[in-house]
Amino acid sequence: MVKEFIRLSSLYFRSSYFFRALKFTLAALFPLVTLGLLGYSEIGIPLAIGVFLNAPSDIPGSLKRKVYGILISSVLTMGVSFIVSLSNPHYWLLLAVISALTFSISLLAVYGFRGSLVAFSGLLAMILSLAHGVTSIPLWLHILLIGVGGLFYLSVSLLTHRIIPRKDEDQLLSDTLSLTGDYLEVRAKLLTETTKRDQLLRKLFTLQSDISEKHEVLRELLLTKAKRGKKSHSDEKHLLIFISMVDILELALANSLDYPKIDSLFKGHEKRLDAFKEVNLAFSSHLKKVAECMITKQGIPSKEPMIRALTTASKAIGDFVEQVGTPHAQEGGIILKNLYDYQTLQLQKIRTVRRALTNVRKESQLSIKSKHAHQFITDQDYGFNIILENLSYKSPIFKHALRLTTAIIIAYIFGTALGIKNTYWILLTLIVIMRPNYGLTKERSINRTIGTLIGAAIATLIILLTQNTIVYGVLAVLSLLVAFSLIQQNYRSAAAFITINIIFVYSLLTPNAFEIIQYRVLDTFLGAVLALIANYLFWPNWEVMNLDKILTKSIRANANYLFAIRHLYRTKETADVQYKVPRKEAFLSVSNLNAAYQRMSQDPKSKQKSSDLIYEIVALNNTILSTLASLGAFIQHHKTTEESVHFKKIVEHIGTTLENSAKEIDQIDIHPSNLPENIDTAKANLKSSYESLIKEREAELQRGQIALEEEMLNNLQEAHLIYNQLIWLKVLTEKLEVAAQKYRHRCAA
């Protein structure tokens, strides 16, 4: 227990989350404490406010975007603070200003996550200006000092980046390695835990979405440098680890199997599957340990457990064949051999990560060429036309801006009319909790309320035990530090520490601490309830309304991935951007679909229209992606025969079926000329090729040739995998088309 506590504490204090929180806390305290001791508190306070307002945009990403984000945030917070402060004495003018500012600032969320954080800074500045009383310095100086505080924080951020330039990269790589380990663990359980597969598949959807989010940030961080041709050895090392992690994810997806068929083939021989399950569990454990090593900088764990597990799996193939006997064991044996090959490749990728971490320089030769790097980066368009395109009721951000504006105005009128003390706390709760979709708003409302209650209870207990202001000051600083270090990992705990911080800050300023606790809890509860009501009643944005575009995008991305695999199979070229870019787009599109489905599942049951059908389409898209990854990974790492005309026809059939499925969801009528051709002959010929190899092998056995030559083994593996995966894809895409037709009819009803 003690050892585990020390391990977790070490990871926490070495994490970039704690480092970023420490940077923010020290940057805010420095002007406050230093100028306060010199007798210039009236200057130190707005400087600290400037730091507080402009820190949110300091998130992982390219340095250029980070600098622009903080600069734009500084200008925005200064302007908003000035306008609201001037309007404050005039109630009706203030209402109009709040409405206009809330709506216009909220629209900045169309520029992605960083844009939403800049918007949060602007809204936060507006609310703090409502609470801003008369000070001993002129308004213009107060506003100027807020801007200086923002620039001061930017300077601190740039300085720390220069001293420790790869802190965020290390953390992101570590988080991604850990999530990939979780993914492999779930994949392992899928192989044998037959009664839990639906639950495990849903967990995979979430994990794949989380991994893809990390991949996108890493692409921005790492490939921007590659794009500019400015790479140190450390940059190349990190890039190599990232590329290997993408390959590991592809191979993990490639391990997805036709589980009902597996259950049938290995009934009574589940022990042989356990050996392969243990390999994935060994890989998972190793990746999680490596993830910790990236943070703690300790030695890389031994690779021996992985090698032992893989050796046991290899032996399990022979045991299965010996126990079942030929020729009955042939199909099961080939499946196990393919699975073993994938896991062998997986071990190679993991060892590449290990070598990169131990600074083996020759590995850096595998990094992406700078001229191709831009093709892997998802660029965010920051043009004003994006705002104009979203000035539509169809835009979720537009509806969110309207909803938040309405909720803010209702809360302000309600609070001021009833004379609620610290009405701005209700408004603050609204901007923190409210999100464009109902499910996330509900989740944050619950976590915020529970966290506030926990924080209030802890603060009450401490106040009952001591009235020492030094203790209050120390706890206020420590709780602020902990709150900001946890805000991305555990929002409920962060809310508890934020409450503790606010209570102790007010306890230093006012003698009646219990009144502050009471109002804090009440205002948070009112804000959380209003946020939920607003999301449900005012221009609701149920996730099902936005699914059509996400569904069709994922289907078409899978189709593009299929044709990239076919190109690879036909040309026998080394996998390059023509293969890797469509693969990246397919992974990302399906992950976005998974995330959208998770959000939909958090909406009220009455608003989840056709949820069963949507889940079927989501599951089919994921299975299609896994099957494609299996084909792609095999073709990349095995010597294959020439493309046959039968292969070509079946691929074209699958591609047409995918496109027709997308058209059904888009409610586009399908012209008869676009219907897929009958491919029964091609299917029969492809099967015949596989069966002829089986007969050839059986003839070898009858002649007493027990040993399987490598060429025959490769041909058998290829014929088995190509035939089974293509036919499986055909079945899956035809099921998808039927589901898409049902979905279209339900939407039209």
Side-chain angles (χ1 to χ4, degrees):
M1 183 69 75
V2 175
K3 189 176 180 180
E4 180 68 7
F5 176 77
I6 293 172
R7 183 183 72 84
L8 293 175
S9 297
S10 176
L11 287 172
Y12 170 70
F13 288 117
R14 292 168 182 260
S15 70
S16 70
Y17 307 112
F18 180 80
F19 177 74
R20 205 177 306 134
L22 182 64
K23 176 174 64 176
F24 159 74
T25 304
L26 293 177
L29 286 177
F30 180 77
L32 198 62
V33 174
T34 305
L35 293 172
L37 292 174
L38 294 174
Y40 297 102
S41 296
E42 68 276 9
I43 295 176
I45 291 173
L47 283 172
I49 290 173
V51 171
F52 177 72
L53 289 176
N54 296 292
S57 352
D58 184 15
I59 58 170
S62 73
L63 184 61
K64 178 181 177 181
R65 290 184 180 181
K66 183 184 292 189
V67 171
Y68 282 164
I70 296 175
L71 288 175
I72 293 169
S73 173
S74 297
V75 173
L76 179 64
T77 52
M78 289 174 66
V80 168
S81 300
F82 182 69
I83 294 169
V84 174
S85 297
L86 286 179
S87 309
N88 216 338
H90 313 287
Y91 184 77
W92 295 109
L93 175 61
L94 181 61
L95 281 180
V97 167
I98 291 174
S99 300
L101 287 176
T102 303
F103 179 76
S104 55
I105 292 172
S106 298
L107 286 177
L108 294 177
V110 301
Y111 295 119
F113 185 52
R114 197 181 297 277
S116 68
L117 291 176
V118 172
F120 176 75
S121 293
L123 294 171
L124 190 59
M126 181 185 75
I127 290 168
L128 290 184
S129 296
L130 294 173
H132 172 62
V134 179
T135 63
S136 57
I137 62 173
L139 176 61
W140 67 267
L141 182 57
H142 178 84
I143 300 301
L144 182 62
L145 289 171
I146 287 176
V148 172
L151 294 177
F152 172 68
Y153 179 77
L154 176 59
S155 302
V156 171
S157 183
L158 290 173
L159 178 63
T160 54
H161 176 79
R162 188 166 186 82
I163 297 170
I164 312 176
R166 295 177 182 84
K167 191 74 174 177
D168 285 336
E169 289 179 21
D170 284 339
Q171 186 68 58
L172 279 164
L173 288 168
S174 173
D175 290 348
T176 311
L177 281 166
S178 184
L179 284 169
T180 306
D182 291 337
Y183 191 90
L184 289 174
E185 182 179 349
V186 177
R187 279 285 181 204
K189 293 177 180 178
L190 272 170
L191 197 58
T192 57
E193 297 183 17
T194 57
T195 60
K196 297 181 180 178
R197 280 188 181 139
D198 188 63
Q199 177 186 346
L200 291 170
L201 282 171
R202 290 173 186 268
K203 189 173 182 180
L204 276 185
F205 295 168
T206 303
L207 281 171
Q208 192 175 335
S209 177
D210 292 343
I211 292 170
S212 289
E213 284 182 13
K214 299 290 185 186
H215 282 182
E216 280 295 272
V217 181
L218 282 167
R219 283 188 185 97
E220 182 186 330
L221 266 172
L222 301 173
L223 298 186
T224 300
K225 296 176 184 177
K227 181 179 174 182
R228 295 173 180 170
K230 298 178 179 179
K231 293 181 294 181
S232 65
H233 172 60
S234 294
D235 293 330
E236 290 194 337
K237 181 176 75 171
H238 281 179
L239 183 58
L240 177 60
I241 294 170
F242 169 64
I243 293 170
S244 299
M245 285 195 295
V246 174
D247 289 338
I248 288 170
L249 179 61
E250 180 186 41
L251 289 167
L253 280 165
N255 279 333
S256 181
L257 302 163
D258 183 352
Y259 292 110
K261 185 175 183 179
I262 293 294
D263 295 340
S264 174
L265 278 173
F266 293 94
K267 189 174 182 180
H269 305 282
E270 291 83 0
K271 186 179 178 182
R272 308 308 170 199
L273 292 177
D274 284 337
F276 291 88
K277 173 183 176 180
E278 290 303 317
V279 175
N280 266 2
L281 291 177
F283 290 169
S284 169
S285 176
H286 192 82
L287 285 177
K288 291 176 184 178
K289 289 176 182 176
V290 171
E292 291 186 8
C293 292
M294 289 207 69
I295 303 301
T296 61
K297 306 304 180 186
Q298 294 176 349
I300 305 298
S302 171
K303 61 181 179 290
E304 289 307 314
M306 294 188 294
I307 295 173
R308 283 198 302 269
L310 201 58
T311 302
T312 303
S314 177
K315 185 176 181 297
I317 301 173
D319 292 343
F320 173 77
V321 173
E322 183 179 342
Q323 186 176 2
V324 176
T326 54
H328 303 293
Q330 276 189 349
E331 184 169 15
I334 291 172
I335 288 174
L336 291 181
K337 182 62 171 66
N338 282 332
L339 187 55
Y340 174 79
D341 285 350
Y342 285 129
Q343 291 181 330
T344 302
L345 290 169
Q346 197 77 278
L347 178 60
Q348 291 176 13
K349 299 301 179 184
I350 294 172
R351 293 182 74 173
T352 300
V353 173
R354 289 171 53 86
R355 286 194 292 271
L357 286 173
T358 50
N359 293 306
V360 177
R361 287 187 171 270
K362 65 179 181 180
E363 294 295 339
S364 64
Q365 297 171 1
L366 300 176
S367 58
I368 293 174
K369 295 179 181 178
S370 58
K371 66 179 180 179
H372 297 313
H374 71 280
Q375 297 184 53
F376 294 90
I377 303 172
T378 306
D379 287 323
Q380 173 66 57
D381 186 353
Y382 290 102
F384 185 69
N385 62 302
I386 301 298
I387 292 281
L388 297 177
E389 289 172 7
N390 279 272
L391 291 177
S392 163
Y393 187 70
K394 293 181 180 179
S395 167
I397 300 298
F398 178 80
K399 289 195 281 188
H400 171 66
L402 283 176
R403 190 185 309 122
L404 181 60
T405 302
T406 305
I408 291 276
I409 292 301
I410 290 173
Y412 190 74
I413 293 174
F414 175 77
T416 52
L418 295 182
I420 295 177
K421 192 173 183 180
N422 298 329
T423 299
Y424 66 91
W425 277 356
I426 302 176
L427 307 186
L428 187 60
T429 301
L430 284 172
I431 68 165
V432 168
I433 287 177
M434 284 189 72
R435 290 295 181 269
N437 64 297
Y438 175 85
L440 187 54
T441 299
K442 179 182 176 182
E443 181 184 348
R444 290 177 73 88
S445 296
I446 293 170
N447 286 333
R448 180 78 174 187
T449 303
I450 293 174
T452 299
L453 290 172
I454 293 171
I458 294 171
T460 299
L461 182 61
I462 294 172
I463 290 171
L464 288 173
L465 292 174
T466 180
Q467 284 76 47
N468 190 313
T469 55
I470 295 176
V471 172
Y472 290 178
V474 171
L475 289 175
V477 172
L478 291 178
S479 58
L480 179 67
L481 174 60
V482 175
F484 275 86
S485 66
L486 293 176
I487 205 157
Q488 290 184 1
Q489 285 70 51
N490 191 323
Y491 183 67
R492 182 178 296 183
S493 298
F497 282 102
I498 289 171
T499 300
I500 293 170
N501 169 262
I502 290 172
I503 289 172
F504 284 125
V505 167
Y506 273 88
S507 296
L508 294 171
L509 302 175
T510 177
N512 197 346
F514 291 109
E515 184 180 349
I516 297 300
I517 294 173
Q518 172 189 332
Y519 281 117
R520 173 68 181 173
V521 172
L522 177 62
D523 291 346
T524 298
F525 177 75
L526 289 174
V529 170
L530 181 55
L532 276 177
I533 293 173
N535 265 77
Y536 192 90
L537 295 180
F538 303 147
W539 306 282
N541 181 48
W542 308 121
E543 196 62 37
V544 73
M545 299 176 179
N546 310 310
L547 267 178
D548 289 7
K549 188 180 292 185
I550 301 172
L551 285 168
T552 55
K553 188 172 182 179
S554 66
I555 293 170
R556 290 190 170 106
N558 274 338
N560 290 335
Y561 187 22
L562 169 68
F563 293 127
I565 291 169
R566 186 203 159 193
H567 175 79
L568 194 66
Y569 188 57
R570 185 176 70 247
T571 61
K572 313 301 178 188
E573 294 174 354
T574 304
D576 58 4
V577 290
Q578 285 184 292
Y579 172 80
K580 290 182 177 179
V581 171
R583 179 184 67 176
K584 171 239 176 182
E585 293 298 334
F587 281 18
L588 187 58
S589 296
V590 173
S591 294
N592 288 340
L593 175 60
N594 293 340
Y597 176 77
Q598 293 298 323
R599 292 194 298 269
M600 190 198 79
S601 65
Q602 294 174 324
D603 285 343
K605 294 292 183 184
S606 60
K607 307 300 179 183
Q608 297 180 29
K609 185 180 178 182
S610 302
S611 61
D612 56 336
L613 197 52
I614 290 169
Y615 175 71
E616 182 183 353
I617 295 173
V618 171
L620 284 167
N621 265 292
N622 276 272
T623 310
I624 288 167
L625 179 64
S626 295
T627 309
L628 290 170
S630 179
L631 272 172
F634 183 87
I635 292 167
Q636 282 183 80
H637 299 102
H638 291 79
K639 185 179 179 181
T640 56
T641 57
E642 294 300 314
E643 177 194 35
S644 68
V645 66
H646 318 304
F647 176 90
K648 178 182 177 182
K649 283 185 177 180
I650 295 175
V651 167
E652 288 175 351
H653 174 95
I654 294 167
T656 303
T657 308
L658 284 170
E659 179 58 30
N660 288 347
S661 300
K663 286 181 177 179
E664 291 287 357
I665 294 171
D666 281 336
Q667 300 192 23
I668 298 173
D669 291 333
I670 298 167
H671 194 273
S673 62
N674 293 328
L675 293 174
E677 295 180 9
N678 187 296
I679 56 161
D680 287 343
T681 303
K683 178 181 170 183
N685 286 331
L686 207 59
K687 184 178 182 181
S688 177
S689 299
Y690 170 58
E691 289 176 342
S692 65
L693 284 171
I694 292 290
K695 289 177 182 177
E696 187 178 340
R697 175 56 186 157
E698 288 175 357
E700 288 180 353
L701 290 169
Q702 289 174 1
R703 293 195 301 268
Q705 186 179 333
I706 305 299
L708 185 60
E709 293 182 0
E710 185 176 349
E711 184 179 357
M712 172 59 79
L713 175 60
N714 288 338
N715 290 340
L716 274 171
Q717 280 185 268
E718 180 186 354
H720 177 272
L721 185 131
I722 294 295
Y723 172 73
N724 281 280
Q725 297 294 63
L726 278 186
I727 300 309
W728 181 229
L729 271 174
K730 175 182 176 294
V731 171
L732 290 170
T733 53
E734 287 171 353
K735 285 183 178 179
L736 179 63
E737 186 175 20
V738 171
Q741 289 167 352
K742 290 179 181 177
Y743 180 79
R744 177 178 182 173
H745 292 148
R746 285 195 193 179
C747 291

